[in-house]
């Protein structure tokens, strides 16, 4: 999860994100598929990008307490997630079945303030499962997010209700994917393989 | 003592008076002579102001201390409901002294503090879920009556995944019902006149993922020995999870392939014996081709007939297509000759067939289809599999320890990758686990129930139906 912690997220939005992560965790912890297979990592971006929680199995994961300030270094966040994936996602070898391709959920309420292209180039070099970019509120640019992935969703408002709906959908998506890989159907690669989003989460075509 | 105290009081009065006098003197020098009233007001103002400043400084000290406290590593890992929990962190008591916690009541956990600053949370978590614990600390500059500093932490107690897996019965009245488990023991060794005769044990059980959704077992198997023609027949099949009638596909595949292979082997009769004997005496290409042709007309034809039977069933079922019956099929036939054991196999899809030799080595009797790309396996119901001539294998060995057939529900957790399938130590681990739980050496029908029980082994992320058949 790549989460925007820039100054514009201050107040209700960041609290909603913190709650959203908590709800996501408690929901997933009651799902045996997710509990056995899902690993999570949180990367935040404001003036710079930072891995708030390294890739951790769900049962051991502890939610970070996110605070909001500064700009929107989304480009740096994309490079960081690429680097961390190299380090933390196990590759399949002849002797060892590696991890499934990571699902990436990006949430931002603004436009990147750094060099997006550089991060994007790094990001595109890696293999991902589904990459979902969420534009939270009117100030977020769906066009920019469209450069990162074809799966762009938008939230009309960055309020606590809407953000919580988004996180519930993320959690359902993780559940679906862990069940899918358990049953041997392989990686999730498109939005169509995730559960349909709630009305608050609009699919940007 | 008393004298000292009175002296000190006098001294303080003198000092305050001294301050007033000095203020009066300084003001007089500046051309203003204050009266007593003015001096007293000034003094009150000065004290109040300094007091406020003092309070602000204390507050700043508290904020600084709080920032420091927030940096202290106070991390408690998550735990598991019902499983004893104990974790200790250390906080330097000369800086931050812990005075207690809140949020632990009714959690089953308690805090133990010692003089060295070790804070231990221990106990057995009663409930699953998140708890929020607040720790209270004194800090440098803290004095009695002031509020403590607080640190909040979250600990999650996970539910035992075993208790999260539901076991939902398959709804009544579905098409093609199937028992959740099946097992069979074929006893040959105790009564047959084949010296060193072998038995078969087989078991199959519905996977946790199917039980969780109340969907039926899609795997199937068949094992038999026919006295008279002395052929052992073993087959396991895994109906595709995404195909709605695959449980019937796997059932038909096993039943039909057995019926047909018995019929065809019996028809081939002495031809077969002769071809195998010739090949054993002279393992030339020509003799191998002859055995191959006979196998093609027996085991491959039987598989073909099984796929036709599935097609017929799908044609007769309203609203069904043959894809709905998608299934893998792993077949082995085996017979003892004077010179040794003849083993032939036919393999479509994932799973594994291994021939374990007495010296611990293993011969893999075929190639799994598309194991590297999960979900892209081949099925018996695909016409293309019959244009492929590499699906059958045979070998002649003096003796062997076990011939093992399994669906991917068993091979995935034990081998993970196709490369591991070739490694005899991986087979050794599998057989050790089976031998530790199933008393194979006793050659009793009870082994089937033990094998069924063993199939319930735990493996993270592997909850498919599991089926295994062993000739030993």
């Amino acid at each position: 999860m790549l989460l925007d912690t820039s100054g514009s997220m201050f107040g209700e939005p960041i609290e909603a994100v913190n709650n959203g992560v908590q709800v996501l965790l408690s929901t997933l912890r009651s799902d045996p598929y997710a509990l056995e297979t899902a690993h999570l990592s949180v990367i935040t971006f404001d003036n710079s990008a930072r891995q708030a929680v390294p890739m951790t199995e769900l049962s051991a994961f502890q939610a970070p307490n996110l605070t909001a300030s500064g700009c929107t270094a989304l480009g740096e966040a994309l490079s960081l997630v690429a680097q961390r994936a190299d380090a933390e996602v196990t590759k399949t070898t002849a002797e060892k079945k590696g991890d499934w391709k990571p699902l990436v959920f990006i949430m931002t309420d603004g436009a990147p303030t750094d060099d997006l292209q550089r991060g994007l180039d790094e990001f595109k070099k890696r293999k991902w499962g589904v990459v979902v970019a969420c534009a939270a509120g009117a100030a977020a640019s769906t066009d920019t997010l469209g450069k990162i992935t074809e799966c762009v969703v938008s939230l009309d408002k960055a309020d606590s209700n809407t953000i919580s709906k988004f996180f519930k959908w993320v959690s359902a998506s993780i559940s679906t994917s862990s069940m899918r890989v358990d049953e041997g159907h392989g990686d999730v690669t498109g939005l169509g393989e995730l559960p349909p989003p709630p009305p608050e989460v609009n699919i940007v075509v | 003592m008393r004298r000292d105290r009175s002296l000190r009081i006098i001294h303080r009065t003198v000092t305050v008076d001294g301050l007033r006098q000095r203020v009066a003197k300084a003001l007089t020098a500046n051309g203003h002579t204050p009266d007593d009233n003015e001096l007293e007001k000034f003094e009150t103002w000065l004290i109040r102001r300094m007091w406020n400043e003092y309070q602000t400084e204390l507050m700043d000290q508290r904020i600084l201390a709080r920032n420091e406290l927030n940096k202290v590593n106070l991390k408690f890992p998550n735990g598991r409901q019902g499983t004893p929990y104990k974790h200790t962190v250390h906080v330097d008591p000369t800086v931050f002294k812990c005075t207690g916690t809140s949020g632990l009541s009714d959690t089953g956990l308690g805090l133990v503090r010692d003089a060295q600053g070790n804070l231990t949370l221990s106990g057995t978590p009663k409930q699953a879920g998140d708890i929020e614990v607040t720790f209270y600390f004194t800090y440098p500059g803290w004095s009695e009556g002031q509020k403590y500093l607080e640190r909040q932490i979250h600990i999650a107690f996970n539910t035992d995944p075993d208790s999260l897996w539901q076991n939902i019965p398959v709804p009544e009245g579905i098409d093609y019902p199937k028992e959740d488990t099946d097992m069979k023991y074929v006893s040959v060794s105790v009564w047959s006149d084949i010296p060193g005769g072998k038995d078969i044990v087989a078991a199959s059980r519905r996977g946790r993922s199917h039980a969780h959704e109340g969907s039926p077992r899609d795997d199937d198997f068949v094992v038999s020995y026919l006295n008279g023609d002395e052929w052992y027949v073993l087959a396991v099949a895994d109906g595709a999870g995404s195909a709605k009638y695959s449980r019937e596909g796997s059932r038909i595949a096993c039943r039909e392939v057995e019926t047909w292979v018995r019929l065809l082997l019996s028809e081939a009769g002495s031809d077969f014996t002769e071809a195998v004997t010739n090949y054993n005496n002279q393992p030339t290409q020509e003799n191998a081709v002859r055995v191959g042709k006979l196998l093609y007309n027996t085991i491959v034809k039987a598989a073909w007939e099984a796929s036709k039977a599935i097609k017929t069933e799908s044609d007769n079922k309203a609203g069904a297509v043959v894809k709905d019956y998608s299934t893998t099929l792993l077949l082995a036939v085996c017979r003892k000759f004077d010179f040794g054991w003849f083993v032939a196999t036919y393999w479509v899809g994932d799973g594994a067939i291994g021939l374990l030799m007495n010296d611990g080595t293993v011969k893999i009797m075929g190639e799994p289809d598309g194991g590297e790309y999960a979900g892209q396996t081949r099925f018996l119901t695909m016409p293309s599999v019959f244009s492929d001539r590499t699906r059958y294998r045979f070998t002649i060995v003096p003796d062997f320890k076990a011939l093992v057939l399994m669906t991917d529900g068993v091979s995935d957790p034990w081998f993970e990758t196709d490369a591991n399938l070739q490694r005899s130590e991986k087979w050794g681990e599998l057989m050790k686990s089976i031998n530790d739980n199933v008393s194979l050496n006793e050659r009793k029908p009870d082994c089937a129930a033990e094998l069924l029980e063993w199939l319930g082994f735990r493996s993270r992320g592997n909850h498919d139906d599991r089926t295994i058949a062993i000739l030993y």
Side-chain angles (χ1 to χ4, degrees), chain B residues 120-427:
Chain B
T120 304
L121 274 183
S122 62
T124 302
K126 281 189 198 163
Q127 272 155 10
D130 267 32
I131 61 165
E132 188 184 271
V133 186
T134 309
F135 286 81
Y136 300 94
F137 294 94
T138 65
Y139 52 94
W142 176 89
S143 58
E144 198 67 50
Q146 278 182 297
K147 279 175 77 178
Y148 298 129
L149 284 178
E150 299 176 3
R151 261 291 287 278
Q152 260 131 25
I153 59 149
H154 287 263
I155 311 175
F157 295 108
N158 295 292
T159 316
D160 179 354
D162 278 349
S163 69
L164 289 175
W165 289 110
Q166 299 185 53
N167 191 359
I168 302 173
V170 178
E172 298 272 330
I174 60 159
D175 285 329
Y176 309 123
K178 187 182 269 191
E179 291 293 320
D180 290 349
T181 60
D182 191 9
M183 59 179 169
K184 191 170 178 188
Y185 195 87
V186 179
S187 202
V188 177
S189 58
V190 288
W191 53 264
S192 106
D193 11 334
I194 314 176
K198 297 183 187 295
D199 291 351
I200 312 173
V201 62
S204 177
R205 69 186 294 155
R206 183 165 79 139
R208 282 185 188 83
S209 58
H210 289 209
H212 194 63
E213 292 160 21
S215 62
R217 175 169 59 103
D218 291 334
D219 274 12
D220 221 305
F221 74 86
V222 66
V223 290
S224 64
Y225 171 80
L226 203 60
N227 197 23
D229 75 1
E230 292 172 4
W231 280 104
Y232 290 91
V233 175
L234 299 87
V236 300
D238 173 9
S242 51
K244 62 178 174 180
Y245 297 141
S246 67
R247 58 185 173 281
E248 182 65 2
S250 63
R251 193 193 68 82
I252 297 174
C254 289
R255 298 301 169 278
E256 291 291 323
V257 89
E258 185 205 19
T259 308
W260 279 96
V261 87
R262 286 215 169 280
L263 180 72
L264 295 167
L265 284 171
S266 137
E267 277 176 14
S270 55
D271 273 3
F272 212 109
T273 310
E274 197 184 298
V276 172
T277 310
N278 284 345
Y279 176 78
N280 183 66
N281 295 338
Q282 285 179 306
T284 59
Q285 182 67 22
E286 195 192 333
N287 285 338
V289 167
R290 195 176 157 206
V291 176
K293 270 186 184 157
L294 281 164
L295 282 177
Y296 194 79
N297 290 327
T298 53
I299 62 173
V300 181
K301 185 159 193 293
W304 168 243
E305 291 294 345
S307 83
K308 278 202 322 203
I310 293 171
K311 177 80 173 65
T312 307
E313 176 62 28
S314 77
D315 289 345
N316 293 337
K317 180 88 179 168
V321 290
V322 70
K323 216 177 151 218
D324 294 335
Y325 296 79
S326 296
T327 180
T328 68
L329 178 65
L330 278 65
L331 166 71
V333 295
C334 183
R335 189 178 154 188
K336 187 160 193 271
F337 291 87
D338 298 338
F339 44 83
W341 290 84
F342 173 83
V343 180
T345 59
Y346 181 78
W347 182 326
V348 179
D350 44 24
I353 310 178
L355 182 64
L356 278 80
M357 310 307 291
N358 289 334
D359 63 1
T361 57
V362 63
K363 280 180 204 262
I364 304 305
M365 298 294 291
E367 283 166 27
D369 281 297
E372 295 295 316
Y373 305 96
Q376 294 176 10
T377 188
R378 299 262 138 198
F379 298 113
L380 186 68
T381 38
M382 296 171 169
S384 60
V385 303
F386 290 101
S387 50
D388 198 345
R389 297 218 163 201
T390 60
R391 299 194 171 275
Y392 58 103
R393 298 273 168 98
F394 77 92
T395 188
I396 299 169
V397 291
D399 194 13
F400 61 89
K401 199 185 283 173
L403 173 65
V404 186
L405 285 76
M406 62 192 113
T407 59
D408 66 341
V410 182
S411 60
D412 278 357
W414 286 94
F415 297 96
E416 281 192 53
T417 64
D418 289 354
N420 283 345
L421 208 53
Q422 309 293 335
R423 292 172 56 191
S424 52
E425 63 268 32
K426 288 277 168 190
W427 284 89

Side-chain angles (χ1 to χ4, degrees), chain A residues 22 29-33 35-37 57 59-62 92-97 100 179 182-186, chain B residues 75-78 130 154 156 158-159 161 164-165 209 212-213 374-375 416-417 419-420 423 458 460-463:
Chain A
Q22 279 294 351
R29 282 193 182 116
S30 61
D31 171 359
Y33 290 101
L35 195 58
E36 289 194 4
T37 53
E57 66 176 289
S59 63
F61 191 93
Q62 295 193 324
T92 296
T93 64
E95 284 77 33
K96 183 118 192 78
K97 204 182 216 169
W100 297 93
M179 190 164 137
D182 187 280
E183 288 177 353
H185 298 311
Chain B
K75 237 179 138 50
F76 286 86
N78 293 344
D130 267 32
H154 287 263
N158 295 292
T159 316
L164 289 175
W165 289 110
S209 58
H212 194 63
E213 292 160 21
E416 281 192 53
T417 64
N420 283 345
R423 292 172 56 191
R458 297 283 335 210
R460 245 179 189 229
N462 290 302
H463 306 297

Side-chain angles (χ1 to χ4, degrees), chain B residues 45-59:
Chain B
W45 173 84
L46 188 68
I47 288 171
R48 188 180 299 140
R49 185 174 182 135
M50 294 319 284
W51 177 254
N52 284 344
E53 215 165 284
Y54 168 71
Q55 285 295 325
T56 311
E57 208 176 291
L58 279 187
M59 187 60 82

